[in-house]
Amino acid sequence: MDIIQALAQELKIRPKQAEAAVTLIDEGNTIPFIARYRKEATGSLNDETLRSLFERLNYLRNLEEKKQQVIAAITEQGKLTEELKAQIESAQTLVVVDDLYRPYRPKRRTRALIAKEKGLEPLANIILLQMTQKPLEEEAKAYLNEEKEVNTIPDALAGASDIIAEAISDEADYRIRIRELTMQKGMISSAAKDPDAESVYEMYYEFCERIAKIAGHRVLALNRGEAEKILTVKLEAPKEDIIRYLEKQVIKKDNANTTPFLKNVIADSYDRLIAPAIEREIRSALTETAQDGAIRVFGKNLEQLLMQPPIVGKVVLGWDPAFRTGCKLAVVDETGKVLDTAVIYPTPPQNKVEEAKATLKKMIDKYNVNLISLGNGTASRESEMIIVDLLKELNRPLQYVIVNEAGASVYSASKLATEEFPEFDVGQRSAASMARRLQDPLAELVKIDPKSIGVGQYQHDMNQKKLSEALGGVVEDCVNKVGVDLNTASASLLEYISGISKTVAKNIVSYREENGRFASRNQLLKVAKLGPKAYEQCAGFTRILNGKNPLDATAVHPESYQAAEKLLDTLGFQPQDIVSGKLKGLSKKIADLDLKKLAQQLEIGVITLQDIVKELEKPARDPREDMPKPILRSDVLEMKDLTPGMILKGTVRNVIDFGVFVDIGVHQDGLVHISQICDRFIKHPLEAVGVGDIVDVKVMSVDLAKKRIQLTMKGIN
């Protein structure tokens, strides 16, 4: 099966779609560009499918390359048969190619190789043929050779045994079947090295589960417990089934001279050579699958977090809570500009509550603050109490929001933050970040390495390259879905735009600083190192408000401007009508027209026509508008106030394999187990909820000592 067919089959798309996507990728087009502006060619494949296709394309191409290398290596040895070549060419995975190559791979000096050097291969072949009528001790006498250190009959038979054992372990078909049997019937178990020690791995102290059934998060937990030397983990293969299978394959004749010997060799081959290798391979495959699953969940959570709706038009006071070093404050205006900063000490050990309130009141009045954005880290609970007290004393409407401060400390100590706020310390930068991540979560969170945002599980145990690539792809998709204002976007935001590198992003900002505002998208071609290909990739994702051409403020690509202008003219509109809102009913107006005919007149495809109409109706519409808005609070609950049966509104903070963590405003997130999310059966919580969702939950139980809250989303009317 060729690569295109394989991709089509795996991704359940048409071969034509797969072929078009591969061609576009090979031409150097980015995934967001293909997903948004090449729908006609790909049949509207979305960015998620395209990223899966790109990943599989790389794997399948590596597989083809590996096959050619293996065929060349075996040919060089003069051992390639037509049958073996066909087996290699039809292999579906790298593991199978490795299995087929194993007998021909250059080996270090194994016991079998040493035995062959001693001239014992013919004896091994006699035993394997199972034809001899003589006892094996008789056959072995002919191979005694003092020069080659084959001094005794047991020496000769041991050498023959080693040769046969290695030949059995090298047989690709045997390994494939043994791997299948182990995966189907094997168990994975763990035990505590010290059963009396307390740890987070207590549920794995006496653990056993079918390999075929084990969940990804359990695999990662076992790996971590093993790495921390708390657990001993092992695979228990269906050894009897495997030995029976091998005996059936190897022992072809009932020969009293060879059968007992071969049975011992088979057991040795499995225990010494096959089982350890298969265990390593299966553990590795389980880990890779678990990591891929965890990375997918991490990516989905990150997407939900990045796509949270911005709270626009508000003056926000960012509050980075702390104890000893004081709470850092930063007031940020509607555009994200920092107006003022301060440090207050209302929390222990200083407890200067009244002094802190006086500073807060002064800042709130002076800058007309509408919202307080409080980080959820250390001292957040104590700070929240003070904010609620303060709200009661004010004669003005003011609310607060708890924001997830994951990654804030990474950002505030970064080179980027130092360049952005050279006069601030890390606390002040963090407070400014708290405010800005409420005003525009996407613009602020792109400044942080996605791995540091912390909306996943076991992220430090992942293949870091794979994790970075996957999360970078998520950020890229989110930024391009929203688009960026070319005249206000930071270099951090611009570098995620399709076709723009870090260097080009900095060059765009430098060009803006030297030449003033961009008046048109075409000006991008004057930016250093931004050529025609990069322009094609990025132009549609940039926005210029109040520029020379109203289409520059939309997601219509410059390559379609002529068609868009012709469409407006055909319908009796002017480009200026885009910004005035006169085109709101455009889709109704063309509903009665023959779209196919209209698209032909405009020399574009029907899908492109529909996209243009949608964009002209609602120019530069922000897809984040559809996401749930953050909960604005004005009162506070404590954990001790919670009672079973209480119904509360909360924000989903994290989604993991076995449930979701929900912020219900008591500083300690509650867990909704997967079985408590909804009445229907779901394989994963992401089928029902995502990070940032606002949900109704009922308190099931509260454990104050362990700081655990069990919640349910079922049975709430």
Side-chain angles (χ1 to χ4, degrees), residues 432-481:
S433 182
M434 289 302 102
R436 285 174 164 187
R437 64 173 64 189
L438 190 64
Q439 291 179 321
D440 192 341
L442 182 60
E444 195 60 25
L445 290 170
V446 291
K447 298 173 185 174
I448 302 162
D449 178 350
K451 289 184 294 189
S452 302
I453 295 175
V455 280
Q457 204 181 16
Y458 301 112
Q459 57 258 43
H460 303 296
D461 302 344
M462 301 292 144
N463 175 322
Q464 294 301 297
K465 184 175 181 288
K466 219 172 187 182
L467 180 63
S468 289
E469 284 172 0
L471 298 185
V474 169
V475 180
E476 186 183 18
D477 289 342
C478 291
V479 172
N480 287 286
K481 267 178 199 160

Side-chain angles (χ1 to χ4, degrees), residues 364-383:
I364 289 163
D365 287 338
K366 183 177 177 182
Y367 300 107
N368 202 16
V369 172
N370 311 113
L371 260 181
I372 295 174
S373 176
L374 172 66
N376 66 344
T378 312
S380 171
R381 188 81 203 135
E382 293 72 12
S383 299

Side-chain angles (χ1 to χ4, degrees), residues 214-491:
I214 191 162
H217 65 92
R218 290 216 173 96
V219 172
L220 297 175
L222 290 172
N223 288 354
R224 182 177 275 192
E226 186 178 40
E228 291 176 15
K229 297 190 168 42
I230 292 167
L231 301 175
T232 304
V233 182
K234 61 180 179 183
L235 290 195
E236 293 164 17
K239 187 174 173 180
E240 284 180 20
D241 291 5
I242 291 167
I243 296 292
R244 201 162 44 244
Y245 161 75
L246 285 172
E247 286 177 354
K248 199 174 169 187
Q249 301 305 309
V250 176
I251 302 170
K252 299 295 186 184
K253 294 184 177 69
D254 188 15
N255 184 323
N257 294 310
T258 57
T259 298
F261 183 85
L262 285 172
K263 282 189 172 183
N264 287 331
V265 174
I266 288 165
D268 171 59
S269 177
Y270 176 69
D271 290 337
R272 183 168 57 86
L273 300 172
I274 301 173
I278 296 287
E279 176 163 352
R280 277 194 306 275
E281 286 170 15
I282 288 177
R283 289 284 307 272
S284 175
L286 287 173
T287 299
E288 193 175 341
T289 304
Q291 286 189 0
D292 288 348
I295 288 171
R296 272 195 302 277
V297 173
F298 202 138
K300 211 75 191 150
N301 287 345
L302 179 63
E303 181 189 358
Q304 296 283 107
L305 193 63
L306 293 173
M307 294 299 279
Q308 284 185 81
I311 294 181
V312 294
K314 303 276 186 189
V315 178
V316 180
L317 185 145
W319 182 315
D320 181 21
F323 287 116
R324 189 180 50 78
T325 54
C327 301
K328 314 296 188 297
L329 309 176
V331 177
V332 172
D333 75 5
E334 296 91 338
T335 66
K337 184 184 170 193
V338 179
L339 303 174
D340 201 355
T341 65
V343 185
I344 55 174
Y345 300 89
T347 53
Q350 285 93 332
N351 295 311
K352 296 178 181 174
V353 177
E354 292 310 313
E355 192 181 303
K357 281 185 184 174
T359 303
L360 283 160
K361 284 174 184 172
K362 205 179 287 178
M363 290 175 94
I364 289 163
D365 287 338
K366 183 177 177 182
Y367 300 107
N368 202 16
V369 172
N370 311 113
L371 260 181
I372 295 174
S373 176
L374 172 66
N376 66 344
T378 312
S380 171
R381 188 81 203 135
E382 293 72 12
S383 299
E384 191 181 4
M385 301 282 198
I386 290 149
I387 291 170
V388 171
D389 267 356
L390 177 74
L391 298 189
K392 289 172 187 167
E393 295 171 19
L394 293 172
N395 294 319
R396 56 181 299 143
L398 183 67
Q399 290 168 304
Y400 72 94
V401 179
I402 307 276
V403 293
N404 188 339
E405 64 175 55
S409 56
V410 175
Y411 160 72
S412 54
S414 69
K415 184 172 177 259
L416 179 65
T418 311
E419 287 168 3
E420 203 173 354
F421 300 116
E423 72 283 11
F424 289 177
D425 64 23
V426 289
Q428 289 167 306
R429 291 174 197 148
S430 187
S433 182
M434 289 302 102
R436 285 174 164 187
R437 64 173 64 189
L438 190 64
Q439 291 179 321
D440 192 341
L442 182 60
E444 195 60 25
L445 290 170
V446 291
K447 298 173 185 174
I448 302 162
D449 178 350
K451 289 184 294 189
S452 302
I453 295 175
V455 280
Q457 204 181 16
Y458 301 112
Q459 57 258 43
H460 303 296
D461 302 344
M462 301 292 144
N463 175 322
Q464 294 301 297
K465 184 175 181 288
K466 219 172 187 182
L467 180 63
S468 289
E469 284 172 0
L471 298 185
V474 169
V475 180
E476 186 183 18
D477 289 342
C478 291
V479 172
N480 287 286
K481 267 178 199 160
V482 173
V484 301
D485 185 331
L486 204 48
N487 287 310
T488 60
S490 66

Side-chain angles (χ1 to χ4, degrees), residues 162-175:
D162 288 338
I163 293 167
I164 298 167
E166 188 173 279
I168 292 168
S169 86
D170 279 350
E171 186 61 54
D173 289 345
Y174 298 172
R175 293 181 82 90

